[in-house]
């Protein structure tokens, strides 16, 4: 079955949700990873897509997302950062893309011009590809960001529609999709993914992948839950390395042409497991610190990528 589905995808066909679930449950792991890597090599080049993010403001976020350290509903600590200095450092380290990320449902209308000024300055002082992650923005606010140089908008779905309300009740996944569609109508690229290991099933991860496929996103961040003390998910048991790798491989079958970006939470994995991920479907890395948790060293990531053939 694996060989048949792989050949169909290599020929330009698609996998069904039922087939994806069967592969996740029954395929020999090494064969599954190798097939996902073959699909990646067919539809993507050998260049690893690199990006970094900046926590553009401290939290006190009114949303109650159970995974997040920046929610005012939880009891955690966060910091603020100098965006322009970090932008220059990222460019010096060879990172391609940079995004400002804010907590909250959306930034205030009074803040949009402030952030646009930062983007214009970053555009003047660096050659970075600029991205933004600022919540559920309205059309006119997205238009301002685009005019300031933002090419790609980031809005994670986080998890499947069937599970989202178990994790957050102060906004909906449909509101996220509406923001994504509006940004697309304005000509912006979309980066959207999720977090695995929050208690969802493999079937729900596959559901998320197909929702992202329907939205035609170009970049899918694959985050692994890092249970943060003070959040409702602080005692969630970590998922296994095998489950992470299988999820990545299945996403590659569903999204053969998309950048699948290993993002937050991967620092807890061994170097060998991260290298395996680069040969099981991953072709992008989020480098540096991950908003509220420690990320990976840029030089170490570059070395890892070269060893994996990028």
């Amino acid at each position: 079955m694996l060989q048949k589905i792989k050949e169909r995808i290599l020929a330009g066909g698609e996998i069904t949700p039922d087939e994806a679930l069967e592969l996740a449950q029954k395929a020999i792991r090494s064969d599954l990873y190798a097939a996902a890597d073959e699909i990646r090599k067919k539809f993507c080049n050998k260049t690893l897509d690199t990006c970094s993010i900046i926590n553009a403001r401290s939290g006190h976020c009114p949303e109650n997302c159970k995974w997040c350290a920046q929610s005012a509903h939880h009891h955690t600590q966060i910091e603020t950062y100098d965006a322009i200095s970090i932008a220059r450092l990222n460019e010096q380290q060879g990172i391609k893309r940079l995004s400002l990320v804010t907590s909250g449902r959306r930034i205030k209308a009074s803040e949009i011009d402030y952030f646009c000024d930062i983007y214009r300055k970053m555009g003047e002082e660096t050659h970075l590809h600029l991205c933004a992650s600022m919540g559920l923005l309205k059309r006119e606010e997205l238009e301002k960001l685009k005019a300031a140089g933002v090419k790609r908008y980031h809005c994670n779905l986080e998890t499947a529609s069937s599970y989202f309300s178990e994790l957050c009740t102060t906004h909906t996944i449909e509101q996220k999709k509406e923001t994504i569609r509006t940004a697309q109508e304005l000509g912006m690229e979309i980066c959207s993914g999720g977090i695995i290991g929050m208690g969802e099933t493999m079937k729900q991860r596959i559901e998320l992948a197909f929702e992202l496929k329907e939205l035609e996103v170009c970049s899918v961040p694959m985050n692994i839950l890092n249970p943060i003390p003070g959040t409702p998910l602080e005692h969630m048991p970590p998922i296994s390395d095998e489950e992470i790798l299988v999820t990545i491989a299945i996403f590659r079958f569903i999204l053969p042409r998309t950048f699948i970006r290993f993002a937050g939470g991967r620092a807890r994995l061994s170097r060998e497991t991260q290298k395996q991920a680069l040969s099981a479907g991953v072709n992008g890395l989020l480098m540096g610190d991950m908003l509220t948790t420690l990320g990976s060293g840029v030089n170490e990531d570059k070395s890892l990528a070269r060893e994996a053939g990028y």
Side-chain angles (χ1 to χ4, degrees):
M1 179 183 181
L2 173 61
Q3 182 70 17
K4 181 180 178 181
I5 294 172
K6 181 192 75 172
E7 290 176 355
R8 185 200 310 154
I9 293 171
L10 290 174
E14 298 181 343
I15 190 173
T16 69
D18 287 343
E19 288 173 333
L21 184 58
E22 188 169 355
L23 286 186
Q25 294 171 338
K26 298 180 180 180
I28 296 172
R29 297 323 191 200
S30 58
D31 292 346
L32 178 66
Y33 307 154
D37 196 39
E38 190 174 342
I39 292 169
R40 188 268 305 172
K41 288 175 180 176
K42 166 76 173 181
F43 294 107
C44 309
N45 61 32
K46 293 182 179 180
T47 302
L48 191 76
D49 197 57
T50 58
C51 66
S52 188
I53 54 180
I54 301 175
N55 184 353
R57 68 179 186 193
S58 57
H60 304 297
C61 173
E63 307 303 293
N64 69 353
C65 309
K66 291 184 178 180
W67 60 82
C68 187
Q70 301 194 64
S71 173
H73 294 258
H74 316 324
H75 304 286
T76 60
Q77 299 294 320
I78 55 174
E79 300 178 65
T80 56
Y81 307 90
D82 178 355
I84 304 300
S85 296
I86 295 178
R88 295 192 196 102
L89 177 61
N90 275 280
E91 184 174 45
Q92 291 167 9
Q93 292 178 316
I95 290 173
K96 182 178 180 181
R97 306 179 189 279
L98 182 68
S99 180
L100 298 183
V101 181
T102 62
S103 63
R105 175 189 294 261
R106 57 191 303 277
I107 58 174
K108 298 176 182 177
S110 59
E111 295 175 310
I112 190 69
D113 291 335
Y114 165 74
F115 286 119
C116 285
D117 286 342
I118 293 177
Y119 277 117
R120 278 189 283 269
K121 188 169 183 180
M122 287 196 295
E124 292 168 359
E125 299 191 18
T126 75
H127 295 91
L128 291 165
H129 295 250
L130 302 179
C131 312
S133 180
M134 298 186 171
L136 309 177
L137 298 187
K138 297 178 181 179
R139 178 178 291 270
E140 55 267 31
E141 294 160 339
L142 290 166
E143 286 175 339
K144 286 187 175 182
L145 286 175
K146 184 182 178 185
V150 174
K151 305 295 185 186
R152 179 176 292 183
Y153 197 71
H154 169 265
C155 184
N156 274 347
L157 296 188
E158 305 297 7
T159 193
S161 291
S162 65
Y163 191 56
F164 188 88
S165 62
E166 297 293 320
L167 297 170
C168 180
T169 59
T170 47
H171 62 273
T172 69
I173 200 167
E174 285 305 318
Q175 289 173 303
K176 288 175 173 286
K177 290 181 179 181
E178 182 180 353
T179 299
I180 287 171
R181 294 186 186 105
T182 301
Q184 287 174 320
E185 288 170 6
L186 295 173
M188 301 174 85
E189 297 177 343
I190 298 297
C191 178
S192 182
I195 306 172
I196 62 173
M198 298 194 292
E200 76 288 344
T201 64
M202 180 60 75
K203 185 176 181 180
Q204 286 168 325
R205 290 177 202 154
I206 290 168
E207 178 188 345
L208 170 62
F210 274 96
E211 289 183 88
L212 295 168
K213 182 181 182 70
E214 183 180 358
L215 287 168
E216 299 182 334
V217 305
C218 67
S219 171
V220 173
M222 178 76 70
N223 300 278
I224 306 162
L225 178 69
N226 180 37
I228 298 172
T231 66
L233 298 183
E234 65 178 319
H235 300 300
M236 182 68 68
I239 60 176
S240 68
D241 290 5
E242 179 181 296
E243 195 168 355
I244 293 166
L245 293 170
V246 168
T247 302
I248 289 168
I250 295 299
F251 267 59
R252 176 54 67 197
F253 272 78
I254 298 168
L255 301 158
R257 295 174 174 82
T258 303
F259 282 106
I260 297 177
R261 192 178 305 279
F262 219 178
R266 67 183 173 89
R268 76 167 174 85
L269 303 177
S270 69
R271 194 174 193 278
E272 185 57 35
T273 299
Q274 293 193 53
K275 186 177 176 181
Q276 272 189 293
L278 288 167
S279 299
V282 164
N283 65 335
L285 288 179
L286 177 59
M287 296 179 171
D289 288 346
M290 314 298 183
L291 291 185
T292 57
T293 60
L294 184 64
S296 297
V298 174
N299 289 333
E300 182 181 345
D301 282 340
K302 288 180 180 179
S303 174
L304 192 70
R306 284 191 291 269
E307 289 177 23
Y310 288 90

